[in-house]
Amino acid sequence: MKPDLKIVEAASAQDAVAPPAAAPSAPSQAEMPFAVVEGQPITQMPRDLYIPPQALEVFLEAFEGPLDMLLYLIRRQNLDILDIPIADITKQYMRYIELMQVLQLELAGEYLLMAATLAEIKSRMLLPRPETTGAVGEESDPRAELVRRLQEYERFKRAAEAIDRMPRLDRDTWAASAELVERKIVRVPPQVTLQEMLIAFQEVLTRSDMFAHHHVQREALSVRQRMTDVLSALAPGEFREFVRLFRPEEGRRGVTVTFVAILELLREGLIDIVQAEPYAPLHVRLGSAARDARLAAANEEIAGN
Amino acid sequence: MNEHYVRNVVEAALLAAGRPLNVDELIALFDERDAASAEEVRAAVTALASDYETRGIELKEVAGGFRIQIRESFAPPVSRLWQERPAKYSRALLETLALVAYRQPITRGEIEQIRGVSVNPNIIKTLQERNWVRVVGHRDVPGRPELLGTTRDFLDYFGLKRLDDLPTLAQLKELDDLRVQLSLPGAEPVAPPAAPPEAADEGSPADTAAPEAQELVERDASDVAG
Amino acid sequence: MNEHYVRNVVEAALLAAGRPLNVDELIALFDERDAASAEEVRAAVTALASDYETRGIELKEVAGGFRIQIRESFAPPVSRLWQERPAKYSRALLETLALVAYRQPITRGEIEQIRGVSVNPNIIKTLQERNWVRVVGHRDVPGRPELLGTTRDFLDYFGLKRLDDLPTLAQLKELDDLRVQLSLPGAEPVAPPAAPPEAADEGSPADTAAPEAQELVERDASDVAG
């Protein structure tokens, strides 16, 4: 094989058949120092290795496409990416491609396309170009587009390496967790605003034409509430002194409200008012219907226990 | 072995493992150079356990070994992580609640009569569970239906001192649009303490749906933007 | 709220959640009666972070919120918990991920253009299955190709708070910045006669280049050495 087919391996000889991916990507501090001045390598200590044909396929797999391979060729010779000796690189690139084809390796179309691109650049480089004043503009360099693509690709190749080095979960760190043995079910009740409820009420009123009833309109809500309060104050089967239902500290208005509430409850048959004899104190108890129901409920409870 | 190092490794491993670890597994964390004995590992476990005594976590020995777990008394707040998103009450529920408030004591049948549709028993149940509505008696008619009234909790939740603070029907009638007219006499339509901010726009379905959609949008954006 | 209680609840919740929790989620752990403010929650997080400083765990803020995780220096012993080695990702996958991360929103075609090879659909699928990458829209060109972007899970997985925390992408060296001489076959790259003063150093990239070029050169050296 020709020297061009040597590939500079940082690894030892027995690693030659191992995926050469290690060569482009894994930096090794031990192999570190060699620098380049004017394209001339100063210190060069790497072991050159021939690629055994069976390893070539692995070699090819180590590249992420023609840009990656081209970058590798440039980097391994420490060439300035901004000043690629296009003829040399093209020659080397073509040798690899030819060899791969001889070995009948399946070659992605992108590799052949790159070969054509390189050949085209090479031929354009041969053409005379008009002298411009001083520096030559980027546009007139046939390599410009290729260089731009190589640089762009290299940026993301390096970014990928940087991402791979970033500490990540399940490799460099793990989320700390502790067992919650018994999870309590927490249900959050919906929130309601008064306004929401009033809007709902307004709508139901509109639908039911309750507005039409005068008595409803005039009815004080305090009476309604007091009706509820009086009912709940009465225990089943128990008489309660009528006067005890009133709270004088509420004043005249409160007493009136309670009185109206009691009358309304009486009218609806929800309470009974009894008097043992004339002028005896009045007593209030739950109306027969309410009383029976409550007693039944109480009995059920007892039976249930 | 450094006692603190052993303890730190044991703690980190127990928190990373996601399963209980026994003494052998804990010993195996240390390589030959930094070998830790069973005694050292046990001492580390004991030290951690006492370290956690004042905390929301505890170190427990279970069948598979040692495990760091959430202390049972901390289960209620921690469980809130998985709490269901509060749903919204249906219009039917709100109407029922309003009718109980304004027309109490009232039976389910009477509510149905006014609303013109049957009342789902779950609505009454929900209102009772919330402790806003309770049975205050029974009406003296066949079937002795339950009479429903509102509770003290109901008044407290809506920031009312008494039922009278609710606007009268006449006032309600005058308020053509409650959505616009916000201040009601006596009853300030103030959102309860924990009410979500969107409550001010209540009543317009498009508005009520918006916050969730908004949040979704925001999440999407943050996903992209990082 | 009792400061210790808040800290204990926050710690327990972070350990129980199985995902990062943000301040709002932490506040929501406390009910109305035991409400904790954002300041209290933040103070608790800070206290925990400093509490962990001497330990094998640390409190890290990532895109999704706060997370308690194993300190990187404790990875060697802790990784012994698992037999299999952590998943390695191919260069193709990482390069694709890098392009999505730095160039989002980006189409598959645009990725292929930069990488110079076609992208295996399995790579995109894997990235989506890991929930690192997702479709964020479609480019308004024929075929309406999918636009890809990274997710919050991606940031969380790599311990980032936001995309800006990704390592800075190397700058492109401009071809004419360095006044590269057209080299005809066989010709040495010599500075043109009319070249400005700095051209005298041509050929030694380290001298001519701006800081970012310097970085590239250093990287080149290590690359070649590898």
Side-chain angles (χ1 to χ4, degrees):
Chain A
M1 282 195 189
K2 302 207 167 95
D4 279 333
L5 285 175
K6 286 177 192 168
I7 119 165
V8 179
E9 278 281 358
S12 57
Q14 73 253 32
D15 287 333
V17 285
S25 64
S28 157
Q29 290 302 314
E31 295 291 328
M32 191 51 194
F34 66 90
V36 172
V37 174
E38 302 282 355
Q40 294 299 312
I42 304 174
T43 321
Q44 195 160 11
M45 308 274 296
R47 286 147 290 193
D48 282 5
L49 296 170
Y50 284 105
I51 306 167
Q54 66 268 28
L56 197 57
E57 189 167 6
V58 183
F59 175 73
L60 179 61
E61 276 172 12
F63 291 114
E64 294 294 328
L67 286 174
D68 194 26
M69 182 166 160
L70 218 45
L71 259 186
Y72 173 75
L73 293 176
I74 292 164
R75 291 302 178 200
R76 96 172 146 113
Q77 294 168 86
N78 241 24
L79 299 170
D80 182 357
I81 195 168
L82 294 176
D83 190 18
I84 311 164
I86 205 80
D88 291 353
I89 287 293
T90 306
K91 199 164 68 186
Q92 291 175 30
Y93 183 88
M94 294 308 287
R95 289 227 175 101
Y96 278 112
I97 300 300
E98 280 159 22
L99 189 70
M100 286 170 189
Q101 284 176 323
V102 166
L103 294 171
Q104 294 185 315
L105 295 175
E106 200 185 322
L107 205 55
E110 294 102 351
Y111 284 93
L112 300 176
L113 184 64
M114 179 59 77
T117 308
L118 286 171
E120 199 245 332
I121 294 172
K122 198 174 91 175
S123 64
R124 278 174 57 201
M125 297 286 284
L126 291 168
L127 296 174
R129 272 169 306 277
E131 276 292 326
T132 53
T133 56
V136 180
E138 184 184 343
E139 289 313 307
S140 58
D141 192 325
R143 301 170 301 180
E145 173 59 15
L146 178 64
V147 168
R148 194 198 58 77
R149 287 187 65 197
L150 281 169
Q151 281 192 297
E152 181 80 339
Y153 170 68
E154 189 171 38
R155 296 169 86 195
F156 289 102
K157 184 185 159 172
R158 300 218 181 287
E161 288 162 9
I163 285 178
D164 197 27
R165 281 193 300 269
M166 273 158 40
R168 63 175 185 242
L169 278 183
D170 305 330
R171 188 189 69 180
D172 309 294
T173 185
W174 294 265
S177 67
E179 185 87 6
L180 179 59
V181 180
E182 200 185 339
R183 194 184 290 181
K184 306 268 186 282
I185 292 166
V186 182
R187 242 192 239 116
V188 180
Q191 305 289 346
V192 186
T193 61
L194 182 61
Q195 196 189 7
E196 255 180 299
M197 189 184 73
L198 294 178
I199 289 166
F201 190 48
Q202 214 179 27
E203 287 184 8
V204 75
L205 292 182
T206 311
R207 282 208 313 272
S208 70
D209 72 22
M210 267 176 70
F211 278 134
H213 299 278
H214 292 293
H215 75 278
V216 173
Q217 280 190 43
R218 283 199 312 269
E219 191 169 67
L221 277 163
S222 47
V223 173
R224 286 278 155 197
Q225 177 167 33
R226 196 52 56 91
M227 286 166 72
T228 293
D229 292 345
V230 169
L231 270 184
S232 4
L234 295 172
E238 194 182 89
F239 289 96
R240 186 135 185 194
E241 254 186 280
F242 179 73
V243 292
R244 290 271 202 98
L245 294 170
F246 295 88
R247 274 179 292 167
E249 66 268 23
E250 288 183 332
R252 178 192 289 259
R253 185 173 175 274
V255 171
T256 311
V257 166
T258 305
F259 187 67
V260 175
I262 290 171
L263 288 182
E264 180 66 21
L265 287 169
L266 196 61
R267 190 179 66 80
E268 293 188 23
L270 291 168
I271 55 170
D272 295 332
I273 296 185
V274 291
Q275 196 174 29
E277 55 192 69
Y279 307 112
L282 289 170
H283 281 87
V284 179
R285 64 172 178 185
L286 289 174
S288 52
R291 187 175 63 232
D292 293 351
R294 285 210 180 176
L295 280 175
N299 286 338
E300 268 166 33
E301 238 168 65
I302 293 161
N305 292 340
Chain B
M1 274 308 300
N2 176 298
E3 188 187 317
H4 275 95
Y5 179 71
V6 176
R7 195 197 305 182
N8 284 339
V9 169
V10 167
E11 182 184 47
L14 287 173
L15 289 172
R19 62 184 168 88
L21 299 175
N22 60 37
V23 172
D24 287 344
E25 287 171 304
L26 290 172
I27 291 174
L29 299 174
F30 301 89
D31 62 18
E32 282 134 45
R33 221 173 324 159
D34 294 337
S37 67
E39 288 68 44
E40 284 173 311
V41 164
R42 277 184 199 284
V45 168
T46 310
L48 286 173
S50 83
D51 198 29
Y52 295 162
E53 253 158 31
T54 57
R55 309 253 291 275
I57 52 176
E58 61 185 346
L59 201 146
K60 265 254 153 122
E61 188 166 7
V62 293
F66 299 101
R67 174 170 80 187
I68 296 174
Q69 62 184 40
I70 309 303
R71 203 172 280 281
E72 207 189 326
S73 54
F74 280 77
V78 171
S79 296
R80 283 169 169 259
L81 284 172
W82 295 277
Q83 73 192 7
E84 293 161 30
R85 232 188 122 69
K88 294 209 80 78
Y89 283 138
S90 63
R91 175 56 49 97
L93 181 139
L94 294 175
E95 287 182 8
T96 304
L97 177 62
L99 281 168
V100 172
Y102 276 90
R103 300 284 293 137
Q104 60 190 298
I106 189 171
T107 66
R108 204 174 107 185
E110 288 155 2
I111 295 171
E112 290 176 343
Q113 226 174 334
I114 297 172
R115 291 193 56 233
V117 285
S118 65
V119 171
N120 185 327
N122 279 332
I123 285 179
I124 309 283
K125 216 179 114 209
T126 303
L127 289 171
Q128 285 180 308
E129 279 170 359
R130 192 85 197 248
N131 202 24
W132 285 349
V133 163
R134 65 193 168 130
V135 176
V136 293
H138 290 79
R139 200 175 284 294
D140 192 14
V141 293
R144 292 194 301 263
E146 288 173 339
L147 284 163
L148 304 170
T150 52
T151 64
R152 179 85 235 160
D153 281 3
F154 165 81
L155 295 175
D156 288 347
Y157 185 88
F158 290 100
L160 304 169
K161 274 219 198 73
R162 57 190 84 82
L163 212 53
D164 260 358
D165 290 343
L166 284 172
T168 64
L169 294 192
Q171 285 167 331
L172 267 183
K173 196 182 175 186
E174 282 160 23
L175 300 178
D176 285 337
D177 197 351
L178 276 170
R179 291 167 188 79
V180 180
Q181 182 112 18
L182 288 181
S183 69
L184 298 168
E188 279 177 45
V190 177
E198 71 264 31
D201 287 318
E202 211 52 70
S204 153
D207 285 342
T208 46
E212 278 138 26
Q214 179 66 38
E215 189 191 272
L216 272 181
V217 168
E218 279 167 10
R219 279 192 183 167
D220 286 350
S222 75
D223 268 355
V224 177
Chain C
M1 275 305 302
N2 177 296
E3 188 187 317
H4 276 94
Y5 178 72
V6 175
R7 194 197 306 184
N8 285 337
V9 168
V10 166
E11 181 184 48
L14 288 174
L15 289 174
R19 61 183 170 88
L21 298 176
N22 61 35
V23 172
D24 286 345
E25 288 172 306
L26 291 172
I27 291 174
L29 299 172
F30 301 89
D31 61 20
E32 281 144 42
R33 226 165 321 163
D34 294 338
S37 67
E39 288 69 43
E40 285 172 311
V41 163
R42 279 185 198 281
V45 167
T46 310
L48 286 173
S50 83
D51 198 29
Y52 297 162
E53 253 160 31
T54 57
R55 311 253 291 274
I57 52 176
E58 63 183 346
L59 202 145
K60 173 114 183 159
E61 187 172 4
V62 293
F66 300 101
R67 174 171 75 199
I68 298 173
Q69 63 180 36
I70 308 306
R71 207 170 274 283
E72 216 184 317
S73 54
F74 279 74
V78 170
S79 63
R80 295 203 180 96
L81 283 172
W82 296 279
Q83 296 295 318
E84 69 264 39
R85 319 202 79 210
K88 269 193 123 173
Y89 295 100
S90 68
R91 277 180 58 203
L93 181 137
L94 289 166
E95 286 179 14
T96 306
L97 180 61
L99 276 161
V100 175
Y102 284 93
R103 277 291 168 83
Q104 59 190 304
I106 190 173
T107 66
R108 207 175 108 181
E110 289 155 2
I111 295 171
E112 292 178 338
Q113 228 174 336
I114 296 174
R115 293 193 60 234
V117 284
S118 62
V119 171
N120 186 330
N122 280 332
I123 286 180
I124 308 279
K125 218 179 109 208
T126 304
L127 288 172
Q128 285 180 312
E129 279 169 0
R130 294 243 47 176
N131 201 23
W132 288 349
V133 163
R134 62 187 186 127
V135 176
V136 294
H138 292 81
R139 200 175 284 298
D140 200 9
V141 293
R144 293 182 49 75
E146 288 176 339
L147 284 166
L148 303 170
T150 54
T151 63
R152 200 169 62 185
D153 279 5
F154 161 75
L155 296 173
D156 286 351
Y157 199 85
F158 287 92
L160 301 171
K161 249 170 100 172
R162 57 187 81 84
L163 271 179
D164 280 353
D165 293 341
L166 279 170
T168 319
L169 201 55
Q171 296 286 315
L172 271 186
K173 282 188 288 184
E174 288 300 330
L175 202 55
D176 56 357
D177 279 355
L178 291 187
R179 306 191 177 285
V180 170
Q181 160 76 341
L182 267 186
S183 61
L184 295 170
E188 279 297 314
V190 181
E198 70 263 31
D201 284 322
E202 200 60 64
S204 162
D207 288 337
T208 46
E212 58 268 19
Q214 175 69 44
E215 183 189 272
L216 268 180
V217 167
E218 281 165 8
R219 284 183 174 183
D220 291 349
S222 70
D223 191 47
V224 172

